[in-house]
Amino acid sequence: QWINLNSSSADIQAYLRGEPLPCNKQKGWVLVMVDGYSIGWGKASDGVLKNHYPKGFDGYHEEFIEILKTSGVLNPLVL
């Protein structure tokens, strides 16, 4: 199962910060994508999706967002 976020969505930064997102997927692993590009995995449970990045990654989410912007995956005018 997968979830595809729009590049103009504020949910991307929330996901990268480790904040839970509302999710209507079945309990289990979910591939998280932005405009069709995979950016990681999350775990869905009870209507919530939580990212599954390694501990400590949340401090680097701004750098990761910059990488996604410069690679053209994210619209730099939106984020």
Side-chain angles (χ1 to χ4, degrees), residues 3-9 11-12 15 21 32-36 39:
I3 186 169
N4 190 22
L5 303 172
N6 186 292
S7 60
S8 62
S9 173
D11 287 342
I12 299 166
Y15 168 81
L21 300 178
V32 179
M33 298 185 296
V34 175
D35 292 341
I39 63 168

Side-chain angles (χ1 to χ4, degrees), residues 5 7 28 30 63 67 75 77:
L5 303 172
S7 60
V30 177
E63 293 174 33
I67 291 168
N75 181 345
L77 299 177

Side-chain angles (χ1 to χ4, degrees), residues 32-52:
V32 179
M33 298 185 296
V34 175
D35 292 341
Y37 294 94
S38 63
I39 63 168
W41 289 91
K43 203 152 195 188
S45 180
D46 300 323
V48 174
L49 178 72
K50 295 181 180 177
N51 80 24
H52 224 67

